[in-house]
Amino acid sequence: MEFEKKLSEVQSLLKEQRIEGWLLYDFRRSNPLVYTFLDIPPGKMLSRRFFYWIPQKGEPIKILPQIEPHTLDHLPGVKWLYKSWQELEKLLFSITVENAKIAMEYSPYNALPIISKVDAGTIELMRKNGAEVVSSANLLQRYTSVWSESQLQGHLAAADVLNEIVDRTWAFIELSLQKQHSIDEYQVQQFMLDLMHQNKCVTADPPTCAVNAHSADPHYGPTKDHSSRIHPGDFILLDLWCKQYVQGSVYADITRVGVAAQQATPHQIEIFNHVKAARDRATFFIKENYEKGRPIQGWEVDQTCRDVIIEAGYGDYFIHRTGHNIGEDVHGPGANLDNLETHDFRELIPGTCFSVEPGIYLPQQFGVRLEYDIYLHPAGRIEITGGIQEELVCLNVF
């Protein structure tokens, strides 16, 4: 998106939200969200504080150190230079009006850590002149988390790759056990990783194969030196994510569960069905509200999903948020489905994608997590990507 268009949109949003302006600030890349929004190229030398003020109306103001006056030359706006800290304060105070709301990358009480990029001292400095600092969270995700059409197509392709890898991985485990070959979690992990590379996909971290009690640890990952062997009758969780090996590509992220047996136990089926019901309730809530044009905040989806598991008596064993934003990083900077780890008040907006992945984790037994992704089409419909697991996978290992 051209910056002039972003600027016009932001000023309209500031007017809607009755915010005087948005003050973007950085010191030595402490605020990476600013670099995304301001289109600052990587590798640019930035060693001093700079600010970019977008008022509700009128021309932006660039507040820059005299030693680095060209930092924001690619952006529109008036340039104000400072040499001393006293001059910097004077310039900052001249743009704020007493009792006016100004947006910054700030989250009250650090409720959303991913947004809390401006240090407390800088917030204090702005309050010193009587400004009321509010969060830029809902402004920012429009410009850090909305996908282009090519990113969406890349995500769909990556999701198809993951689906194929899961099918081939189940077959690999099944055949290995049928032939009584020794196989462990690490070998399965490397099998999935090799298939990703063969499909020209990359991942920041390797996928997970977790057996029995390991599947009850949501962030377990096998290593060459720490991996359990897989036996007939074992419960198995596969968690995998990847993106295309293309600049600007975005991730897909899925989780599947199964048993190395012809039939799952009644307890395994019970837990699976509770998690599936929670996933489906959350999805229906998103679909119903989004397609009717109603605003949805991330925490609302999490609570809707969590209530299903609480009602089933397993609330204490659902120990993470329902889902996370997805972007160029698998955990993106946009709204999460979360009312547990944080209270995510950000709205789910068109053009963004997030995982839906409730789970129940029974210590020393097994854990069930079911994960797919949901993309919110700007036209007002949702799309589930990554496939939908409707029942436990059962492998014929005899």
Side-chain angles (χ1 to χ4, degrees), residues 11 47 71 98 117 167 213 221 292 295 309 318 334 337 348 355 381:
Q11 290 185 314
S47 65
T71 298
E98 190 170 356
K117 300 300 182 184
D167 289 343
K292 291 181 179 178
I309 292 176
F318 183 9
L337 312 184
L348 304 180
S355 67
R381 66 180 180 90

Side-chain angles (χ1 to χ4, degrees), residues 15 25 63 65 138 141 146 166 176 219-221 225 245 261 264 308 330 340-341 353 366 373 383 389:
K15 187 174 181 181
Y25 159 74
I63 301 178
N138 272 318
Q141 71 164 336
V146 173
V166 163
S176 297
H219 281 176
Y220 170 77
D225 299 323
Y245 190 57
V308 176
V330 69
L340 178 72
E341 301 172 48
C353 182
F366 64 93
D373 306 329
E383 181 174 0
Q389 183 172 1

Side-chain angles (χ1 to χ4, degrees), residues 58-237:
E59 196 172 14
I61 298 170
K62 298 178 265 191
I63 301 178
L64 303 164
Q66 285 189 10
I67 195 172
E68 292 173 354
H70 303 297
T71 298
L72 303 179
D73 277 0
H74 64 291
L75 299 174
V78 177
K79 187 185 294 186
W80 291 357
L81 301 179
Y82 72 88
K83 182 170 60 177
S84 67
W85 64 267
Q86 294 95 336
E87 290 172 347
L88 175 58
E89 281 197 13
K90 185 177 179 181
L91 293 176
L92 287 170
F93 291 170
S94 71
I95 66 172
T96 60
V97 179
E98 190 170 356
N99 298 322
K101 290 181 180 179
I102 65 169
M104 298 187 79
E105 283 64 69
Y106 153 77
S107 176
Y109 307 109
N110 197 26
L112 298 175
I114 198 166
I115 295 297
S116 291
K117 300 300 182 184
V118 178
D119 62 278
T122 301
I123 298 294
E124 288 172 351
L125 179 62
M126 302 317 300
R127 288 173 175 163
K128 182 179 175 181
N129 199 42
E132 179 187 349
V133 180
V134 299
S135 179
S136 63
N138 272 318
L139 289 169
L140 198 57
Q141 71 164 336
R142 296 171 185 270
Y143 307 104
T144 60
S145 305
V146 173
W147 290 355
S148 66
E149 180 61 27
S150 63
Q151 285 177 315
L152 170 60
Q153 295 308 315
H155 165 81
L156 294 174
D160 287 343
V161 167
L162 292 180
N163 253 329
E164 180 187 346
I165 290 174
V166 163
D167 289 343
R168 292 181 64 179
T169 301
W170 290 130
F172 170 65
I173 297 170
E174 185 176 64
L175 184 61
S176 297
L177 293 177
Q178 285 175 351
K179 293 186 174 183
Q180 299 183 348
H181 292 168
S182 177
I183 184 172
D184 61 28
E185 296 166 324
Y186 180 74
Q187 289 173 289
V188 174
Q189 177 199 71
Q190 294 304 303
F191 178 83
M192 293 189 288
L193 195 58
D194 287 345
L195 289 176
M196 288 180 190
H197 295 158
Q198 289 175 30
N199 283 278
K200 297 181 180 178
C201 287
V202 295
T203 177
D205 300 292
T208 290
C209 172
V211 173
N212 299 330
H214 286 164
S215 67
D217 176 356
H219 281 176
Y220 170 77
T223 65
K224 188 173 183 179
D225 299 323
H226 181 70
S227 175
S228 289
R229 186 175 172 182
I230 304 173
H231 301 91
D234 284 348
F235 186 92
I236 306 167
L237 180 148

